[in-house]
Amino acid sequence: MEREYQGPDSRAVRQMFTGIAHRYDFLNHFLSASIDRYWRRITVNKVRELIGASPFALCLDACSGTGDLALALHRGLKTGVVGSDFCHPMLTRANAKIAASGVGNRIRNIEADTLALPFAPGSFDAVTIAFGLRNLENPRLGLEEMRRVLKPGGAAVVLEFSKPIVPVFRHVFNFYFRYVLPRLGAAISGDGTAYQYLPDSVRKFPAQIELMELMQEVGFKDAAYCNLSGGIAALHWGRKG
Ligand SMILES: C[S@@+](CC[C@H](N)C(=O)[O-])C[C@H]1O[C@@H](n2cnc3c(N)ncnc32)[C@H](O)[C@@H]1O
């Protein structure tokens, strides 16, 4: 049997995001030609489909980083949102954006490790994680934690880079992702390794079906996925039964 994917060392990940936090948002939008905004919108729509839009619902956005998905969730669904991340400089940026957006205390951030979430079982109606699962040292444990803090019937939604499925497009994209993006990222962020780590980690991360199976093994019911932009990214979801 193939060995289960193990993610990168947590301390190295925190250090890497500390180093690029100041350029993270700009590079996200620039390197993806802003497609990341569209993917987050689809993520919000999926959460709406799974739990509805209610000001009384509470979502957790794990590995929330600079808070773009937390903000999109609140704007799209009017829910309360807790953003959690273990990288202080990323959360500092998120806090500034949330303060500037005028949403008051409807979005709260907390510095926490997704592998040991400081919440009681059954605390949230939905838990999201965008481009975070691949960065966890132990993605299975991360999914278990996400499931633990969900209410029964609550939904987990995972947005992550995946494996392009369209043959010719796959080669063009892989060329950009492996050779062009790391150089642009290094030049703009001043960090030579972070944007090499991105394609390397995506290559090692489980493909669409394997991730869906991992979610099923962890206990998510009705686990399913859809490809985004030809499989450059994928959205996975499941419910706590
Ligand atoms: C690629 S960024 C994604 C940020 C945000 N979700 C987005 O969509 O832009 C990954 C984030 O995961 C966080 N992260 C990685 N491992 C973590 C862990 N074990 N606990 C909490 N945060 C973690 C990093 O600090 C970083 O902010």
Side-chain angles (χ1 to χ4, degrees):
M1 207 180 90
E2 235 178 85
R3 211 164 67 86
E4 183 164 311
Y5 168 85
Q6 285 300 309
D9 173 70
S10 285
R11 270 185 309 180
V13 167
R14 193 194 286 118
Q15 201 178 353
M16 182 178 74
F17 282 102
T18 298
I20 61 170
H22 65 298
R23 291 309 246 169
Y24 179 82
D25 280 340
F26 171 75
L27 276 165
N28 245 1
H29 306 322
F30 177 70
L31 295 174
S32 75
S34 284
I35 294 173
D36 62 308
R37 296 181 208 266
Y38 162 71
W39 292 340
R40 287 193 186 85
R41 267 206 310 279
I42 304 272
T43 306
V44 172
N45 290 344
K46 179 52 72 179
V47 175
R48 180 189 294 113
E49 188 185 309
L50 291 166
I51 68 157
S54 160
F56 303 109
L58 188 59
C59 296
L60 171 67
D61 182 37
C63 295
S64 195
T66 57
D68 279 355
L69 183 56
L71 277 160
L73 282 166
H74 174 68
R75 286 184 180 133
L77 308 177
K78 304 297 167 225
T79 57
V81 183
V82 176
S84 69
D85 200 288
F86 71 178
C87 178
H88 190 78
M90 293 289 272
L91 285 180
T92 303
R93 306 234 148 217
N95 284 332
K97 281 153 71 176
I98 290 161
S101 75
V103 300
N105 62 5
R106 297 289 289 153
I107 307 178
R108 296 272 183 91
N109 280 327
I110 173 164
E111 204 165 319
D113 191 336
T114 303
L115 301 180
L117 289 169
F119 306 110
S123 298
F124 297 96
D125 298 278
V127 180
T128 56
I129 183 165
F131 310 111
L133 194 64
R134 173 177 41 90
N135 291 303
L136 297 182
E137 194 165 311
N138 184 340
R140 178 185 287 269
L141 178 56
L143 287 170
E144 284 169 357
E145 275 296 87
M146 289 168 64
R147 185 174 177 279
R148 181 184 66 77
V149 301
L150 274 174
K151 294 177 184 170
V157 179
V158 179
L159 172 62
E160 189 51 87
F161 284 109
S162 199
K163 311 279 194 258
I165 52 163
V166 185
V168 176
F169 170 69
R170 182 172 58 214
H171 294 304
V172 176
F173 174 75
N174 282 342
F175 180 80
Y176 167 73
F177 204 53
R178 286 184 196 161
Y179 301 108
V180 181
L181 178 145
R183 287 176 173 79
L184 283 175
I188 297 171
S189 71
D191 184 317
T193 54
Y195 287 86
Q196 184 57 52
Y197 161 80
L198 175 57
D200 289 349
S201 61
V202 173
R203 198 172 58 243
K204 291 181 200 147
F205 192 67
Q208 288 85 329
I209 292 180
E210 284 95 315
L211 179 53
M212 185 183 74
E213 288 170 351
L214 180 60
M215 290 184 73
Q216 288 166 339
E217 282 171 30
V218 164
F220 284 105
K221 304 274 178 255
D222 305 326
Y225 74 91
C226 66
N227 288 308
L228 303 177
S229 307
I232 294 178
L235 196 63
H236 286 72
W237 60 90
R239 279 191 193 279
K240 180 170 178 174

